[in-house]
Amino acid sequence: MTAAPPTPSVAFRRETLAQLARWFHHLRREPFNVVFTLTQPILWMLFFSSLMQEAKLPGMAPGTPYRDFMTAGVLTFTVYGNAMSGGIPLLFDRENGFLTRLLATPIARSSIVAGRFLYIEAVALAQTLLILGLAALLGVSVRTGVLGVLGIVLFGALLGLGLTALSLALAMWVRHHGTFFMLLGTLGLPLLFCSTALAPVDAMPTWMRWVALANPMSFCVDAMRPLVLGGGSFGRYVLSAAGLLAFDAVAVWVSVRVLKGKLA
Amino acid sequence: MVEVANAPAIRVTGLVKNYGEVHALAGLDLEVRRGEVFGLLGPNGAGKTTTVKVLLGLLRADGGRAEVLGLDVASAATEVRRGVGYVPQEITSDPYLSGRENLRFFARLYHLPDPRARSEEVLRQVGLEDAADRLAKTYSGGMRKRLDLGVGLLHDPELHILDEPSLGLDVEARVRVWTHVEELRKRGRTVLLCTNYMDEADRLCDRVAILDRGRGVACDTPSALKDGLGGDVVTLVASERDGAPPPDWAKLLGGLPLVRSVLADGLRATVAVEAGDRALPKVLEATVAASVPIASVSLLRPSLDAVFLRHTGRRLAEGAAAPAPAAGGRRG
Ligand SMILES: Nc1ncnc2c1ncn2[C@@H]1O[C@H](COP(=O)(O)OP(=O)(O)OP(=O)(O)O)[C@@H](O)[C@H]1O
Ligand SMILES: [Mg+2]
């Protein structure tokens, strides 16, 4: 019955696609989940920008409405939330035994990670476009045009890659899902506030600046912000891309080590 | 596939697995021949699931060697998995996919030439056509087990590993599982069946290994294991005939092969025999040949439970022979 095994690369592609399809089945079954993940950034956009409407922070270009300023931050935080929760279904697969059954099939272990990763990237793309659409309704247009939108998607993907890798590794590493959620809840807000997402570094106390400068979220925001507002420099983008790639390299390296041990 | 065709289906030597202080496997030896239904019988915590996980390369053993279909599990786990259909102890199908979607998903992972067509075949085989489009989470326990059995059938592998497939099922669902195993046997497949129900091992398995605390304590055919306890007892009662004397049981049966002793008590004879299944026909032939009319016959065989008792000094599991729901049967 078993067909001659296809070449490893064909096999890997098919296994990844089968698993990607499974995640989309789940999405179809739990549409409220999607609505919910999409609502969160919308609420940020609406409430936080209304609250801070009059804010003039040191380091903000004069005349920039806060709403326009924070668009890049909301985009980044959405990527963060989405990527960091990417490991959750794996956590449940692991706890209810599905993962064991999956591992008993002759698939490449990496296809489990690849399938999940592609799914998260697809959702992130949809969210990014949605937020940009909403921002446009609120009067924030991407000054750098279509190329800028592409750039925003790309930088989001770069941040998402490393974070997803960490999330998947964390899902395999924790002993109990409670730990995972606790870590996620504890890390989220400090990382958001200690980044340039909501305020420029100039508005921060010194210790916070150092954290913000090393925070991968800031790399992403600092590239996305000029893409939204205009006035970016090539050097700025290269620096952000380099920072994010370095973060990805470390994150993927750590995750591969963890996953290799766990996905026996 | 590069498997070695004449190697045994499974060969395990000196397998050791420790979970910290717990010695789950303490030097297990096992050999399963191709085409047989082999039972791994043991109480909760004996090490059955641990053995299975090592065989599939899901757990690394701390010592010893495991070969499946002639392949070393430690170095060729992927090939091993290609040749094995696995039905885990817990229910594992995806609750958020329908039965059909579950099967198609796994069919694709096994790279079957036509995943859709094959899934339909398997749906029919396990009798889930009518529920195929319902989410698995709406299935009954028995239906979900059947779905898992179906997943194990998809790539029609040479070796099937079923870990306590009838645990927690009602009588009807258990019988279905038994039929499933019988069908695999008919198709010449090898089956490794983990169970802690001795009636199940007794009725389904060609050979049984009794496992206790990570060690094999006995391994043979169910009847040989039971014969080893000192044989079976045939009880005959002749019908009463007016005026006729009771049959001379000792003369009638005493000299037969396999008969060890005959205790006559009027119309009743209590005959100790070796291998009751083979002795009983001989005993009956002899009585019929002597025209002794028979009112009743019974054959009493020691159970595998008794075998376990003999080898370990403990009972297998209280009430394990009853098709009771999983109450207490499942570990944490
Ligand atoms: N992940 C684990 N961590 C620690 N101990 C474990 C783990 N898995 C199994 N054990 C222990 O190893 C021993 C063997 O367990 P195993 O699951 O192989 O038994 P089993 O024969 O399958 O039992 P059951 O009939 O209850 O399924 C038990 O003492 C069990 O508690
Ligand atoms: Mg078990």
Side-chain angles (χ1 to χ4, degrees):
Chain A
M1 166 57 58
T2 312
T7 64
S9 68
V10 173
F12 173 76
R13 203 183 63 224
R14 286 198 207 147
E15 290 156 8
T16 303
L17 289 178
Q19 292 178 77
L20 181 61
R22 172 174 174 243
W23 298 124
F24 277 111
H25 280 308
H26 280 212
L27 182 71
R28 199 154 50 82
R29 300 283 151 64
E30 289 292 330
F32 284 112
N33 258 347
V34 198
V35 174
F36 207 71
T37 21
L38 291 179
T39 330
Q40 213 186 352
I42 294 174
L43 294 180
W44 273 97
M45 276 303 275
L46 287 178
F47 289 104
F48 207 71
S49 69
S50 306
L51 183 71
M52 304 287 285
Q53 203 166 10
E54 302 303 325
K56 297 273 174 295
L57 298 172
M60 259 173 79
T64 311
Y66 186 75
R67 191 189 59 212
D68 297 35
F69 175 83
M70 79 172 282
T71 302
V74 171
L75 285 165
T76 301
F77 194 56
T78 306
V79 169
Y80 169 87
N82 186 30
M84 281 312 283
S85 49
I88 294 173
L90 207 62
L91 204 62
F92 288 117
D93 277 356
R94 195 182 134 203
E95 285 187 354
N96 67 27
F98 186 85
L99 186 68
T100 306
R101 184 62 189 86
L102 197 59
L103 290 174
T105 64
I107 58 170
R109 275 41 193 151
S110 48
S111 70
I112 298 173
V113 178
R116 187 69 205 155
F117 178 74
L118 284 181
Y119 172 77
I120 293 168
E121 288 294 321
V123 173
L125 177 66
Q127 280 181 324
T128 304
L129 297 179
L130 189 96
I131 294 169
L132 287 175
L134 181 80
L137 285 182
L138 294 174
V140 185
S141 60
V142 177
R143 314 275 142 85
T144 51
V146 178
L147 267 183
V149 172
L150 271 180
I152 287 171
V153 169
L154 189 74
F155 279 105
L158 280 179
L159 178 67
L161 170 65
L163 291 175
T164 305
L166 288 181
S167 173
L168 295 178
L170 192 63
M172 293 305 299
W173 180 73
V174 293
R175 280 167 195 272
H176 183 257
H177 66 254
T179 319
F180 186 95
F181 288 111
M182 193 211 56
L183 274 172
L184 217 63
T186 315
L187 284 178
L189 283 185
L191 275 177
L192 175 68
F193 287 120
C194 290
S195 79
T196 51
L198 302 176
V201 273
D202 295 347
M204 298 178 187
T206 322
W207 68 268
M208 233 170 141
R209 273 181 212 193
W210 288 108
V211 182
L213 285 174
N215 185 343
M217 276 220 270
S218 302
F219 301 149
C220 184
V221 177
D222 292 348
M224 281 187 182
R225 183 159 289 145
L227 285 170
V228 176
L229 303 175
S233 69
F234 186 68
R236 175 70 258 174
Y237 297 133
V238 171
L239 194 67
S240 274
L244 286 173
L245 282 172
F247 164 67
D248 289 344
V250 174
V252 169
W253 182 78
V254 170
S255 319
V256 167
R257 288 194 57 126
V258 173
L259 292 172
K260 271 232 169 99
K262 298 286 177 180
L263 299 178
Chain B
M1 208 180 300
V2 284
E3 69 188 52
V4 183
N6 51 8
I10 296 174
R11 181 190 284 143
V12 162
T13 39
L15 211 58
V16 175
K17 176 73 199 178
N18 301 320
Y19 294 104
E21 296 287 285
V22 181
H23 306 299
L25 296 178
L28 178 67
D29 299 314
L30 214 59
E31 185 162 312
V32 178
R33 301 171 195 145
R34 302 233 180 189
E36 74 178 339
V37 176
F38 188 95
L40 207 53
L41 179 67
N44 293 150
K48 304 178 294 292
T49 300
T50 305
T51 307
V52 166
K53 289 196 170 163
V54 170
L55 291 176
L56 286 160
L58 300 173
L59 265 185
R60 235 185 290 283
D62 298 319
R65 195 177 156 80
E67 281 167 50
V68 175
L69 304 170
L71 299 158
D72 183 359
V73 175
S75 60
T78 306
E79 283 77 25
V80 166
R81 294 176 189 128
R82 217 168 264 141
V84 179
Y86 170 43
V87 180
Q89 181 169 344
E90 301 85 24
I91 281 167
T92 52
S93 45
D94 185 338
Y96 295 99
L97 298 188
S98 68
R100 179 173 275 131
E101 286 163 350
N102 263 293
L103 288 169
R104 285 184 183 171
F105 173 72
F106 282 103
R108 289 174 74 186
L109 295 185
Y110 281 104
H111 301 286
L112 303 186
D114 189 347
R116 284 168 180 258
R118 181 62 187 150
S119 301
E120 298 310 306
E121 273 173 41
V122 170
L123 276 172
R124 271 195 302 281
Q125 238 168 314
V126 296
L128 285 174
E129 313 100 302
D130 293 339
D133 287 320
R134 274 164 51 194
L135 292 193
K137 69 171 179 180
T138 69
Y139 285 10
S140 71
M143 290 163 83
R144 287 202 73 180
K145 198 71 206 181
R146 274 189 270 155
L147 182 54
D148 281 5
L149 291 171
V151 171
L153 285 176
L154 277 168
H155 62 305
D156 194 18
E158 141 123 50
L159 171 64
H160 292 255
I161 298 184
L162 313 180
D163 195 352
E164 307 209 27
S166 70
L167 183 68
L169 300 184
D170 65 19
V171 182
E172 196 195 328
R174 285 189 84 198
V175 171
R176 256 183 174 280
V177 170
W178 292 344
T179 316
H180 182 88
V181 176
E182 290 295 352
E183 267 155 26
L184 290 176
R185 183 216 302 283
K186 270 186 226 144
R187 299 217 317 274
R189 300 293 179 264
T190 310
V191 179
L192 177 68
L193 176 76
C194 300
T195 180
N196 59 34
Y197 296 127
M198 46 219 151
D199 58 335
E200 190 167 279
D202 207 351
R203 93 186 267 161
L204 292 176
C205 299
D206 301 311
R207 290 194 307 142
V208 173
I210 296 181
L211 203 64
D212 183 43
R213 301 180 188 182
R215 262 196 208 94
V217 292
C219 177
D220 212 327
T221 62
S223 23
L225 285 172
K226 290 180 289 193
D227 292 345
L229 288 180
D232 307 339
V233 175
V234 176
T235 308
L236 291 169
V237 180
S239 339
E240 209 160 345
R241 287 177 297 177
D242 286 340
D248 184 352
W249 292 118
K251 190 173 152 226
L252 204 58
L253 305 173
L256 292 177
L258 300 172
V259 169
R260 286 184 184 160
S261 67
V262 180
L263 186 71
D265 178 17
L267 292 172
R268 172 191 298 267
T270 308
V271 190
V273 298
E274 277 165 49
D277 51 342
R278 281 177 290 133
L280 183 60
K282 301 252 184 304
V283 168
L284 288 176
E285 262 167 39
T287 35
V288 170
S291 313
V292 175
I294 303 287
S296 81
V297 183
S298 75
L299 169 62
L300 196 73
R301 318 201 67 188
S303 65
L304 283 179
D305 190 25
V307 178
F308 186 80
L309 184 66
R310 146 78 77 89
H311 286 282
T312 66
R314 287 176 294 119
R315 304 265 323 206
L316 186 55
E318 291 309 326
R330 198 177 278 239
R331 176 181 41 80

